[in-house]
């Protein structure tokens, strides 16, 4: 490709005709026959299946088409007519497949039978399910459980997740990392400390009662498009939306509803953000301190002038702890520092604070732009500080709204997938299943890979992830994965983590939950928790991809039985045949959340879990909601000492990917076509370095640990992004992200702020 223009500004609102066209294109490319497109009518319906894409709430009274472009693509991707058969591996050796692009690996189609790696032919060859289970059991039994890792990516159901955590603990380890460790773990830690629950407190009905919403570092149009519906309704009521995001994201600017013919045909789309503040990457703590400063200053003035208070003083006194220390910090912090670190002008921050002070009920939505920083947990705490100032937690229409990623990532934590023993009901499990669970802390994702790089991990059971692509420091972590003794991959499609294999390696193909799951006890359903803490049942509607794929519960039960043999009191065969038995066990372990699970799982809109903070009951250390004084105004304090030419790289997603699954190489919203090997850069930064549009550069990480981290062949795209900040795509830029560059308390990799320099450029 020559130096043609890689991007054109996307002139259209998100949603709209572009979105429908994109869906039609992928349905036809995946040869999803028309009759199957009716599948989409069952998506996110109380009697259908829950979308395999994002975790946004599913309303009780869904639209006829309760799906979005991303969800439709994800469905098409799973229901594709293409298959990877045994013949595919006869044609392609593993060494050859290692040279394929991620997109082409998954595009080969659905995996259709269990496979074992054969080192002699360098090929995956068919194996029977029972042989696979027996050998995996033998291998695991020859290992030290503390050296075995059980990873869960956020898609697996509540039933599968509960079974897996129980199996791992009966086997002898709490090494239960999941995708949350790279995602919203900063939320799980930060919200728990601040308000006593590790999840958001808002529900769909709050959209109808709110007066103002904020977006911090969440790209709704691309990553949770169904949320655009309630947002649009709120905008029609006149609710302002204030966005803090370094990039001007078209999906946060305006929206046309593809389900409203009137809007589709007229240019009259809805403006989403009424204020848009392009702060510097890593500037959120500073910006929020600025917002709080404006509010506290206004309150001081009101008191001095004998006017009504701006702060919710009664709430602060009755419900919170630590306000005085925080207020002192805020009063002392200078506007010049706030402006320098946030990259925003005082007047702009005050404009946002004015709206906040006028509103009675405020919701703050946020995503990876806050959590994936060195001080990602502090960021979450700062948002809570801001909300607490005016009692915006535990009242209708208000609260923190962490927009979760994978469709059941929140639920997995709810049913025991956690490396932290204190977060799992170990005593209850011990009593319920008559065994002694391990009490030692297990490894999260970063720790598992740190241990792997040191050679201290022998096996990984990988339920649905593509870890060699999704974790940091690819050039260290990928080879470590290849040195494992055993890799077991449960997956729907082929990915690179299957190819960089252990000495003994299995690919175990599973059903997608769009498919009918037939077991001895009849057709089975599964369940999941959405981003607003509601539980939904889901049952498949299409025929399985092949007669030889199995459900995730079937696979986990098979391996558990083969490994634990008579050492387990669980009747794994009975659980495999009838998942209502698994739900009964979940309800026994967690009665407060899951009592009468079976009866309630088909409740339209899902059934809610108890959220004490929603009732202003604070399960924190002090029994009150906690204010926190930030440790540093800069979220990435270690970056400030670096060279003056340093750039902060954030790694992002496009609408044509779901994490490591790349549907195609375009980014429709950002107007980038045909390649993902790009760097988005401010024109002034380009001029300073004499860089031209389309020119190729090599990025190099600035770090003094002696490791040279580089990504070559990235093309410059001029973009509306603050100076000193650049953006590239995840996972292509993961070799640049050091494994140790993570949020201190949550170990979420700092994927939104990687210190880099331009090491070379070519015309
Ligand atoms: N289509 C699609 N949908 C998805 C996914 C997908 O890959 N594709 N992935 C799913 C998953 S697992 C997740 S976790 C979610 C992720 O969804 P999001 O949380 O939206 O994640 P990202 O796209 O990584 O980045 C979000 C935004 O953060 C901004 N940002 C970067 N740095 C900063 C910063 O320092 N401050 C602020 N305020 N903003 C910043 C970026 O410009 C970007 O707009 O989406 C889920 N949904
Ligand atoms: N630099 C950088 N790194 C990041 C991020 C970032 O923003 N920047 N984001 C992080 C985030 S938020 C996350 S969540 C992680 C995600 O990282 P991973 O958990 O590794 O995730 P995915 O890419 O979602 O997993 C893709 C694979 O899941 C398999 N799969 C799909 N459906 C199913 C199913 O139903 N069952 C099973 N068993 N398998 C299935 C397919 O085979 C597919 O290849 O990446 C993180 N890494
Ligand atoms: Mo995620």
């Amino acid at each position: 490709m020559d130096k043609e223009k890689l991007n054109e500004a996307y002139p259209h609102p998100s949603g709209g005709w572009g979105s429908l066209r994109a869906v039609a294109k992928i349905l036809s490319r995946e040869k999803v026959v028309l009759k199957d497109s009716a599948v989409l009518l069952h998506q996110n319906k109380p009697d259908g299946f829950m979308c395999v894409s994002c975790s946004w709430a599913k309303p009780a009274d869904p639209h006829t088409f309760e799906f979005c472009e991303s969800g439709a693509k994800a469905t098409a991707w799973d229901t594709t007519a293409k298959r990877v058969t045994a013949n595919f591996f006869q044609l392609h050796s593993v060494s050859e497949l290692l040279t394929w692009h991620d997109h082409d690996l998954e595009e080969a189609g659905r995996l259709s039978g269990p496979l074992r790696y054969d080192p002699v032919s360098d090929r995956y060859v068919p194996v029977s399910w029972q042989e696979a289970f027996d050998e995996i059991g033998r291998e695991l039994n020859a290992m030290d459980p503390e050296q075995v890792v059980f990873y869960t990516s956020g898609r697996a159901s509540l039933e599968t997740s509960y079974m897996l955590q129980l199996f791992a603990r009966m086997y002898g380890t709490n090494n239960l990392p999941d995708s949350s460790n790279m995602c919203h773990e900063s939320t799980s830690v930060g919200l728990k400390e601040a308000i006593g629950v590790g999840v958001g407190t808002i529900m769909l009905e709050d959209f109808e009662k709110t007066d103002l919403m904020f977006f911090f570092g969440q790209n709704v149009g691309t990553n949770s498009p169904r949320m655009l519906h309630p947002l649009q309704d709120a905008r029609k009521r006149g609710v302002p939306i204030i966005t803090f995001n370094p990039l001007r994201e078209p999906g946060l600017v305006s929206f046309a509803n593809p389900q409203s013919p009137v809007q589709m045909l007229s240019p009259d789309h809805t403006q989403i953000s009424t204020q848009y503040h392009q702060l510097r990457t890593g500037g959120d703590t500073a910006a929020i301190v600025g917002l709080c400063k404006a509010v506290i200053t206004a309150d001081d003035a009101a008191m001095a002038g004998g006017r009504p208070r701006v702060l919710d003083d009664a709430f602060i006194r009755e419900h919170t702890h630590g306000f005085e220390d925080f207020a002192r910090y805020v009063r002392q912090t200078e506007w010049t520092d706030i402006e320098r670190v946030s990259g925003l002008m005082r007047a702009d921050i005050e404009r946002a604070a004015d709206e906040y002070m006028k509103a009675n009920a405020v919701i703050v939505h946020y995503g990876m732009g806050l959590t994936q920083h060195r001080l990602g947990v502090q960021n979450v705490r700062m948002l809570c500080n801001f909300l607490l100032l005016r009692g915006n937690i535990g009242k209708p229409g208000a609260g923190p709204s962490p927009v979760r990623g994978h469709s059941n990532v929140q639920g997995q934590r709810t049913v025991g997938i956690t490396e932290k023993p204190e977060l799992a009901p170990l005593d209850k499990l011990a009593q319920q299943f008559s065994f002694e669970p391990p009490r030692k802390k297990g490894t999260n994702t970063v720790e598992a890979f740190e241990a792997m790089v040191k050679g201290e991990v022998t096996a990984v059971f990988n339920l649905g992830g593509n870890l060699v692509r999704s974790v940091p420091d690819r050039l260290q972590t990928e080879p470590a994965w290849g040195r494992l003794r055993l890799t077991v991959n449960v997956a729907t499609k082929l990915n690179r983590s299957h190819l960089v294999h252990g000495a003994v390696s299995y690919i175990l193909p599973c059903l997608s939950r769009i498919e009918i799951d037939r077991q001895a006890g009849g057709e089975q359903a599964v369940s999941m928790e959405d981003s607003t803490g509601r539980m939904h049942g889901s049952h498949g509607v299409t025929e399985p991809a092949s007669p030889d794929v199995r459900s995730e519960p079937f696979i986990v039960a098979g391996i558990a039985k083969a490994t634990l043999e008579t050492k387990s009191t669980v009747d794994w065969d009975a659980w495999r045949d009838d998942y209502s038995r698994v739900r009964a066990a979940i309800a026994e372990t967690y009665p407060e959340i899951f009592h009468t699970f079976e009866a309630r799982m088909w409740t339209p809109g899902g059934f809610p879990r108890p959220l004490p903070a929603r009732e202003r009951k604070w399960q924190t250390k002090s029994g009150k909601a906690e204010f926190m004084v930030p440790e540093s105004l800069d979220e990435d304090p270690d970056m400030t000492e670096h060279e003056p030419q340093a750039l902060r790289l954030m790694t992002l997603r496009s609408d044509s990917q779901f994490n490591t699954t790349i549907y195609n190489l375009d980014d429709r919203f950002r107007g980038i076509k045909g390649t993902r090997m790009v760097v988005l850069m401010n024109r002034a930064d380009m001029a300073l370095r004499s860089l031209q549009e389309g020119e190729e550069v090599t990025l190099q990480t600035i770090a003094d640990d002696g490791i040279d981290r580089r990504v070559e062949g990235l093309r410059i795209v001029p973009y509306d992004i603050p100076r000193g900040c650049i953006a590239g795509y995840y996972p292509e830029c993961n070799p640049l992200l050091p494994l140790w560059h993570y949020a201190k308390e949550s170990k979420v990799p700092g994927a939104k702020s990687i210190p880099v320099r331009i090491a070379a450029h070519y015309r």
Side-chain angles (χ1 to χ4, degrees), residues 14 220 228 231 235 241 251-255 270-274:
S14 52
V220 57
L228 290 166
L231 283 179
R235 284 290 303 117
I241 294 181
L252 279 161
V253 173
S254 63
F255 171 61
T270 312
Q271 177 193 22
I272 300 176
S273 300
T274 49

Side-chain angles (χ1 to χ4, degrees), residues 52 78 106 111 151-155 179-180 182-184 368 372 406 462-467 469-471 490-495 498 510-513 552 651-653 658-661 730-731 733-734 737 751-752 754:
V52 294
D78 275 11
E106 288 211 22
L111 293 158
Y151 174 83
T152 319
S153 184
R155 201 172 277 197
S179 56
S180 175
M182 296 185 271
C183 185
H184 263 294
M368 298 300 101
Q372 296 180 328
H406 279 104
N462 174 24
L463 184 68
N466 184 5
L467 288 164
R469 297 300 266 141
S470 57
V471 302
V490 181
T492 47
K493 291 204 171 176
L494 189 60
N495 68 42
H498 309 156
C510 65
L511 288 172
S512 150
R513 68 168 172 270
E552 290 177 334
T651 53
L652 305 175
R653 303 165 154 74
F658 191 88
N659 297 336
T660 66
T661 295
Y730 143 65
C733 290
N734 281 34
L737 177 54
K752 295 295 184 272
I754 311 172

Side-chain angles (χ1 to χ4, degrees), residues 160-187:
T160 308
S161 306
Y162 181 81
M163 289 168 77
L164 184 70
Q165 62 83 33
L166 187 62
F167 162 47
R169 294 194 162 107
M170 287 183 160
Y171 169 65
T173 180
N174 285 313
N175 291 341
L176 284 158
D178 85 345
S179 56
S180 175
N181 291 140
M182 296 185 271
C183 185
H184 263 294
E185 189 65 15
S186 302
T187 293

Side-chain angles (χ1 to χ4, degrees), residues 332-510:
Q332 280 166 4
T333 306
E334 300 290 343
W335 276 110
T336 46
D337 290 327
I338 292 171
E339 288 189 325
R340 179 178 47 80
V341 180
S342 70
L344 298 175
M345 309 279 280
R346 173 178 174 175
D348 289 326
I349 297 176
E350 286 176 339
R351 203 154 49 85
D354 281 345
E355 292 281 0
Y356 179 74
M357 291 185 274
K358 278 192 265 166
N360 176 48
V362 180
I363 294 176
V364 180
H365 304 288
Y366 70 92
M368 298 300 101
L370 281 201
T371 61
Q372 296 180 328
H373 284 280
R374 292 286 262 175
L375 296 181
V377 176
Q378 168 179 299
N379 273 337
V380 173
R381 298 290 307 266
M382 287 305 114
L383 280 185
C384 288
N385 286 353
F386 179 51
L387 287 168
L388 291 172
L389 290 181
R390 283 176 50 84
N392 276 311
I393 302 184
K395 78 176 166 196
S401 164
V403 186
R404 299 269 171 171
H406 279 104
S407 48
N408 193 36
V409 63
Q410 185 163 315
Q412 294 175 344
R413 296 308 226 190
T414 306
V415 296
I417 296 282
T418 172
E419 73 287 358
K420 296 175 183 162
E422 68 278 15
L423 295 185
L426 295 184
D427 293 336
K428 178 72 203 177
L429 291 173
Q431 171 242 318
Q432 194 176 338
F433 298 104
S434 315
F435 78 114
E436 194 33 61
R439 305 279 167 166
K440 191 176 157 201
K441 187 191 165 300
T443 50
N444 57 34
T445 305
V446 161
E447 289 160 353
F449 275 84
E450 285 169 343
M452 204 182 295
V453 169
K454 284 193 234 150
E456 292 166 2
V457 175
T458 49
V460 178
F461 177 83
N462 174 24
L463 184 68
N466 184 5
L467 288 164
V468 303
R469 297 300 266 141
S470 57
V471 302
D473 244 342
R474 176 166 167 206
L475 301 183
Q476 309 347 296
T477 48
E478 187 173 296
W481 182 268
R483 291 192 294 269
L484 292 168
R485 164 71 194 171
L486 173 69
T487 44
V488 179
N489 301 285
V490 181
T492 47
K493 291 204 171 176
L494 189 60
N495 68 42
R496 191 169 175 90
S497 303
H498 309 156
L499 304 170
V500 184
H501 54 82
V504 177
S505 182
Y506 283 92
I507 303 175
L508 305 178
C510 65

Side-chain angles (χ1 to χ4, degrees), residues 30 35 141 148 175 189 200 208 324 335 470 554 565 609 620 657:
E30 291 307 310
K35 122 178 126 41
N141 279 320
V148 177
N175 291 341
V189 174
E208 290 156 25
E324 280 311 325
W335 276 110
S470 57
F554 180 102
E565 297 167 331
R609 60 185 265 176
T620 58
Q657 74 183 95

Side-chain angles (χ1 to χ4, degrees), residues 28 32 48 88 102-103 245 339 410 436 506 669 677 753 755:
S28 87
V32 176
F88 174 88
D102 290 338
H103 166 79
N245 194 313
E339 288 189 325
Q410 185 163 315
E436 194 33 61
Y506 283 92
F669 289 124
M677 294 299 284
S753 194

